[in-house]
Amino acid sequence: MLNDEPLLAVVHETNRILTKGLDKGITDNIPPEEMLTALRNDVFVFSGYKTHAQLREVASLLLTSESKIKPFAQFKLDVQSVNQAYNVNYLEAEYIFATSSGEMAAKWNDLEKDSDRYNLQYRTAKDDRVRDTHAAMDGTTLPVEDEFWNSYYPPNGWRCRCTAVQVRKGKYPVDNSAEAIRKGDSATIQLDRKGNNAAAIFRFNPGKQKVIFPPNHPYRQVQDRVKRIVESLSSGITAKNSASSELVTWYKKNLPVKKVGKFEARRFEVNRADLDSPIIVNKVFYNEIRGKYKDDKRYLEKLELSKQAQIFIKNAEFKGDETPIHSHADKFKSYKYNHNGTLIEFKCKVNKDGIFLYYMRLK
């Protein structure tokens, strides 16, 4: 059922929200392309497994304790409780974790480079919300290559705000590794009703393993055939992420530098006989194409064709103006262009700064 359109929509929406958390975490420190691709892929795989977990739980609610099909009204209430748990409560915690895990994964790439001059020091947020077990690790100082960081590099739990920072070698005494690991063990123990340690999943290093979510998370405990389905879906999203990144490389290389007042801007300026000012094509257009509708079956084709948008829009047929409902809203001009049998629709945003190519859609 994960291949069915309604459930694919759940996977993609979950992935969209969690990817926003990842993007927030790497805002100030974008990791190398190889690592970023791996992190984005892990978020998608996690989203697929999470959707599968919801399906299993919903299926288990279909029957009463007497193995009879529940009345629809009761089943609906039960399903709504699953939705509240997975897509509100859990999702919020997972979003926060994606943000902190992404930030720490990106930092790890830099931390490894300077291991000859710096050690790592574990630090908490130092407020009354810090867990006692995490506070016990505060100030722990060890070499980057110490095995402690394989399992206890932050984040070390849901909503964990701890971090690891570089400290110059010799400034702080180096701690005993075995004692530090003992503290790490204590910080990641949370026994469930069956006596299993639910917190052990947080013993991993997102930077070294190039993953966002715990490799041993319960969502991932699935049959091989489910793994094959999710991996098949993820190969498609990996291709999309790679094409998206390639488009960024392309426009950074190919957008001409233009003088705009006292400043320089990278953009195409497309002159048309029916307009007094040029249509501007800049990175905002390409990022709009990259960021939206990744579940569009023609997403890869759209990315590739966007590289010729400045040519297409010059020769496109004008369809008309779109008048905004509210006076403060932007106006739009619509165009269409036939490229080898593919109808491409364009929208240009019109405001006080000029006419900007905003979006394109394949018909």
Side-chain angles (χ1 to χ4, degrees):
M1 292 177 66
L2 286 173
N3 284 308
D4 295 345
E5 288 294 333
L7 295 175
L8 277 176
V10 176
V11 176
H12 283 293
E13 180 63 8
T14 303
N15 177 64
R16 184 187 68 82
I17 293 171
L18 296 180
T19 297
K20 285 178 66 175
L22 166 60
D23 289 343
K24 180 180 177 182
I26 62 175
T27 298
D28 298 323
N29 186 16
I30 298 178
E33 192 60 42
E34 180 186 0
M35 174 181 277
L36 182 56
T37 298
L39 297 180
R40 292 192 186 285
N41 182 66
D42 185 66
V43 171
F44 184 86
V45 168
F46 183 84
S47 300
Y49 288 144
K50 175 174 180 171
T51 302
H52 175 261
Q54 291 178 76
L55 284 173
R56 286 180 58 109
E57 189 154 343
V58 166
S60 72
L61 297 172
L62 185 59
L63 302 179
T64 66
S65 57
E66 292 81 25
S67 298
K68 296 181 179 180
I69 296 178
K70 287 181 182 176
F72 177 75
Q74 181 59 51
F75 180 65
K76 181 179 179 180
L77 287 174
D78 292 343
V79 171
Q80 287 174 339
S81 69
V82 172
N83 181 60
Q84 175 68 30
Y86 279 86
N87 298 315
V88 180
N89 303 339
Y90 299 169
L91 187 63
E92 181 184 20
E94 290 156 358
Y95 173 89
I96 294 171
F97 193 87
T99 299
S100 57
S101 187
E103 178 184 1
M104 296 308 297
K107 284 181 65 175
W108 181 260
N109 184 68
D110 294 330
L111 298 177
E112 283 189 309
K113 295 176 183 177
D114 299 322
S115 60
D116 58 328
R117 294 187 298 152
Y118 296 95
N119 289 324
L120 287 190
Q121 187 174 89
Y122 190 102
R123 292 184 182 177
T124 68
K126 300 184 187 300
D127 58 26
D128 57 5
R129 293 165 53 199
V130 175
R131 281 160 268 203
D132 291 341
T133 51
H134 290 203
M137 291 191 288
D138 186 50
T140 296
T141 306
L142 291 163
V144 177
E145 60 273 13
D146 192 274
E147 64 176 299
F148 171 84
W149 303 113
N150 293 341
S151 300
Y152 308 110
Y153 181 74
N156 303 116
W158 301 120
R159 303 178 189 274
C160 174
R161 297 167 298 140
C162 299
T163 188
V165 300
Q166 288 179 321
V167 292
R168 189 171 294 279
K169 288 188 174 182
K171 185 175 181 180
Y172 296 91
V174 174
D175 287 281
N176 178 275
S177 179
E179 176 62 18
I181 290 173
R182 187 192 64 76
K183 292 178 180 178
D185 285 344
S186 297
T188 50
I189 292 178
Q190 183 181 348
L191 300 182
D192 60 22
R193 288 175 296 180
K194 296 181 180 180
N196 299 316
N197 183 11
I201 61 172
F202 298 110
R203 295 173 183 173
F204 78 107
N205 182 317
K208 292 188 75 170
Q209 294 171 252
K210 295 182 176 63
V211 295
I212 289 297
F213 292 102
N216 294 319
H217 191 285
Y219 290 166
R220 302 185 195 261
Q221 309 307 311
V222 297
Q223 296 170 315
D224 287 343
R225 62 191 179 92
V226 177
K227 289 183 179 179
R228 288 194 294 270
I229 292 171
V230 173
E231 288 170 2
S232 174
L233 294 174
S234 70
S235 64
I237 200 69
T238 298
K240 291 178 179 180
N241 287 334
S242 296
S244 176
S245 298
E246 193 276 329
L247 180 59
V248 174
T249 301
W250 180 88
Y251 76 62
K252 286 182 177 179
K253 179 180 178 181
N254 289 280
L255 281 177
V257 177
K258 301 287 185 178
K259 193 77 171 179
V260 182
K262 297 180 179 179
F263 305 97
E264 291 185 340
R266 298 185 67 89
R267 62 197 203 173
F268 292 111
E269 294 181 355
V270 182
N271 293 302
R272 287 178 53 99
D274 57 343
L275 294 174
D276 295 329
S277 58
I279 294 176
I280 298 165
V281 186
N282 59 16
K283 69 176 184 179
V284 175
F285 163 71
Y286 300 107
N287 288 338
E288 185 74 13
I289 297 297
R290 291 174 54 240
K292 286 191 174 181
Y293 312 114
K294 281 193 176 180
D295 54 343
D296 187 336
K297 293 180 179 178
R298 303 182 73 178
Y299 181 76
L300 295 177
E301 183 183 3
K302 185 185 296 183
L303 292 185
E304 191 60 31
L305 288 175
S306 71
K307 299 173 185 177
Q308 302 179 68
Q310 75 281 4
I311 300 172
F312 298 154
I313 195 65
K314 181 178 180 65
N315 302 300
E317 177 187 346
F318 178 61
K319 290 179 60 180
D321 293 310
E322 295 184 17
T323 305
I325 298 175
H326 304 290
S327 59
H328 64 276
D330 292 314
K331 297 179 181 179
F332 287 91
K333 289 182 175 293
S334 296
Y335 297 85
K336 65 179 180 180
Y337 182 79
N338 190 307
H339 174 66
N340 298 333
T342 296
L343 180 62
I344 306 176
E345 294 184 347
F346 293 99
K347 279 193 176 184
C348 294
K349 183 185 292 186
V350 183
N351 57 36
K352 61 182 179 63
D353 296 317
I355 305 173
F356 296 84
L357 184 58
Y358 178 68
Y359 186 66
M360 62 177 274
R361 181 174 62 173
L362 307 186
K363 296 285 284 187

